[in-house]
Amino acid sequence: MSKRLRTTLALIAAGAAAGSLTLFMAPSADAATTLGASAAASGRYFGTAVAANKLSDSTYVGILNREFNSVTPENEMKIDATEPQQNQFTFTNADRIVNHAAAQGMKVRGHTLAWHSQQPGWMQSMEGSALRSAMLNHVTRVATYYKGKVVTWDVVNEAFADSGGGRRDSNLQRTGNDWIEAAFRAARAADPGAKLCYNDYNIDNWTWAKTQAVYTMVRDFKSRGVPIDCVGLQSHFNSGSPYPGNYRTTLESFAALGVDVQITELDIEGSGQTQATTYGNVVKDCLAVARCNGITVWGIRDSDSWRASGTPLLFDGSGNKKAAYTATLDALNGGTTPPTTPPTTPPTTPPTTPPTSPPPTGTGCSATVTLNSWNTGFTATVRVTAGATQVNGWAVTLTLPSGAAVTNTWNAQNTGTTGAVRFANVSYNGRISAGSSTEFGFQGTGTGPTATPTCVAS
Ligand code: XIL
């Protein structure tokens, strides 16, 4: 026996005697080594914007094929590219990307059917009902052409103003406030199988008026049956629009409306460990939200970026992995939350063994609160845990200090907004098996609750 092997065996024996073999554990066998495979392990995709004219660059294509399982044409599906003259459609460059994706088994996000920007000249000079018809015709023709090939469409892009919480003025907006829902209905009719997203920037910070305005529109669309399936957060982060600490709250809040959320154009200006940490945080936030089902970065190498001087991407100009890449991959491999849509009906299988001891007396559930507070408001995450028996419904009562009020709730239904507020389960999270937990949350103005919550099971 060699000396080294003897030493190793001795160490293993010592470790086993100490009750710990941690030292000798190999990295987790299922920690995937590419962005796409790591994201796929939790049912998500990891994509990039792709430019058709770079598909002849072997370094670029090498990274693309190795790392990514979704693509978004960076410019090739925009209105000026696909309908350069009215009613004359050109799909050559977009098809180069779609065909590449198909050959590699990658998904395609279509970007974008209706937008105030990158309109062809003929559309820029249109207004009123003629423009409305031309826009709907464009949506219909392009979505029909790509039926079955584009998994998700950014149907409408950037329709909200940067401040003030209203719509952005544009020729499309001037055709009537209902232009957005008209575009979604036309897209659904053209390709009923595609997921339909509203996509925008600066909707990352939950407290910003623009975020709230988009949230209100999506809530309205869901309540009126306008066909919308997802919200895309572009997430172009830099010093003027930094990654916000409440990003996860934003993702959770949109998701709680019953839509998927996707990070659609991620880039983070900066360098080194600071940039890497932010990338990691963004990925962790997405993984923490079941309905955050995919991330797309807006280019491959820093030199491919529309904001190249900010070096905002995961690979340097030579195609080397940056610290930001490693942080992203590590975060993806740490993810455990599967992106499943909450079931709308409770599971039907009854427990196979009846409880052997009589159910405990008492409330049958307990609740704990985690607060994230700022000067003028807070978000509360409440964990509801079942006792020794399954609960089939629950209600948590929390007392807010005077001056505080609930403004928004997810994964629960509240009665009242001030004082003692009651939060009851919604259809998909009433049943909690013995000892298990579920979470709901709410946002409020003023100071968050400090008193212990009460939980009553039914
Ligand atoms: C950018 C492209 O990256 C550039 O190549 C192009 O010159 C301008 O558009 N929001 C969007 C994207 O929705 O379409 C934009 O892409 C970046 C901002």
Side-chain angles (χ1 to χ4, degrees):
M1 192 186 288
S2 75
K3 186 166 179 237
R4 186 188 291 165
L5 182 55
R6 267 200 315 272
T7 312
T8 307
L9 288 173
L11 280 169
I12 291 172
S20 160
L21 280 173
T22 321
L23 260 179
F24 305 97
M25 268 170 55
S28 160
D30 52 9
T33 56
T34 66
L35 302 169
S38 303
S42 72
R44 294 174 172 87
Y45 65 82
F46 202 98
T48 178
V50 165
N53 63 8
K54 291 181 179 154
L55 289 174
S56 51
D57 175 334
S58 59
T59 305
Y60 181 90
V61 173
I63 301 171
L64 170 64
N65 293 354
R66 186 185 74 218
E67 296 287 344
F68 297 95
N69 54 15
S70 172
V71 294
T72 305
E74 187 171 358
N75 290 295
E76 293 77 355
M77 285 189 182
K78 291 174 181 174
I79 315 173
D80 58 353
T82 50
E83 196 178 355
Q85 304 297 328
Q86 189 168 14
N87 258 318
Q88 290 178 20
F89 291 85
T90 314
F91 296 113
T92 317
N93 284 328
D95 279 348
R96 289 172 63 196
I97 298 174
V98 170
N99 293 339
H100 185 92
Q104 294 289 325
M106 300 167 176
K107 295 180 202 285
V108 179
R109 289 193 89 262
H111 174 80
T112 174
L113 296 171
W115 191 22
H116 69 277
S117 185
Q118 292 184 260
Q119 291 183 355
W122 63 266
M123 187 180 269
Q124 287 176 34
S125 58
M126 281 182 113
E127 295 277 353
S129 58
L131 173 61
R132 174 66 72 93
S133 306
M135 179 273 285
L136 294 175
N137 179 57
H138 181 85
V139 170
T140 303
R141 290 284 301 271
V142 177
T144 300
Y145 181 84
Y146 281 114
K147 196 171 172 173
K149 295 183 174 174
V150 165
V151 176
T152 302
W153 272 109
D154 287 334
V155 178
V156 171
N157 197 32
E158 302 182 348
F160 279 78
D162 287 336
S163 57
R167 295 283 182 86
R168 172 195 299 278
D169 179 49
S170 71
N171 60 348
L172 290 167
Q173 180 61 30
R174 290 190 296 272
T175 70
N177 211 43
D178 62 343
W179 74 276
I180 299 180
E181 60 191 88
F184 274 86
R185 290 199 171 95
R188 181 69 99 225
D191 183 358
K195 297 287 185 197
L196 306 181
C197 287
Y198 176 79
N199 192 56
D200 214 329
Y201 64 90
N202 284 1
I203 58 169
D204 316 288
N205 190 320
W206 180 239
T207 66
W208 287 15
K210 185 171 176 181
T211 312
Q212 292 297 316
V214 172
Y215 176 84
T216 303
M217 178 190 74
V218 175
R219 187 174 59 190
D220 170 56
F221 279 12
K222 291 300 288 182
S223 74
R224 290 189 297 111
V226 177
I228 184 168
D229 305 305
C230 41
V231 173
L233 288 83
Q234 292 183 10
S235 301
H236 296 292
F237 293 129
N238 52 39
S239 55
S241 178
Y243 162 75
N246 57 24
Y247 191 60
R248 192 177 296 191
T249 299
T250 305
L251 299 174
E252 280 170 350
S253 301
F254 277 116
L257 293 175
V259 289
D260 288 339
V261 285
Q262 304 182 340
I263 300 169
T264 53
E265 304 182 14
L266 181 62
D267 49 21
I268 303 173
E269 293 188 36
S271 61
Q273 196 49 47
T274 309
Q275 179 184 50
T277 301
T278 309
Y279 263 103
N281 287 339
V282 167
V283 171
K284 286 177 203 159
D285 288 339
C286 179
L287 293 180
V289 177
R291 293 197 75 156
C292 181
N293 65 343
I295 299 174
T296 300
V297 288
W298 205 239
I300 297 178
R301 300 162 300 194
D302 284 334
S303 50
D304 300 316
S305 169
W306 70 312
R307 290 177 168 173
S309 63
T311 61
L313 295 174
L314 302 178
F315 296 87
D316 70 17
S318 306
N320 300 311
K321 296 170 180 176
K322 295 167 55 181
Y325 171 93
T326 309
T328 300
L329 185 68
D330 287 352
L332 287 169
N333 281 320
T336 51
T337 314
T340 48
T341 307
T344 46
T345 47
T348 49
T349 326
T352 46
T353 44
T356 50
S357 54
T361 54
T363 60
C365 61
S366 59
T368 54
V369 185
T370 312
L371 278 180
N372 177 15
S373 302
W374 57 93
N375 286 347
T376 54
F378 63 91
T379 57
T381 304
V382 185
R383 173 167 283 263
V384 183
T385 304
T389 55
Q390 173 178 295
V391 305
N392 295 310
W394 46 264
V396 172
T397 303
L398 277 152
T399 304
L400 298 186
S402 81
V406 174
T407 52
N408 175 40
T409 302
W410 51 94
N411 294 339
Q413 179 70 52
N414 59 302
T415 308
T417 55
T418 57
V421 184
R422 180 177 186 272
F423 297 87
N425 66 274
V426 286
S427 59
Y428 54 80
N429 63 6
R431 179 177 292 200
I432 313 173
S433 59
S436 295
S437 302
T438 189
E439 278 187 355
F440 72 92
F442 61 97
Q443 184 173 20
T445 53
T447 309
T450 47
T452 312
T454 59
C455 186
V456 177
S458 52

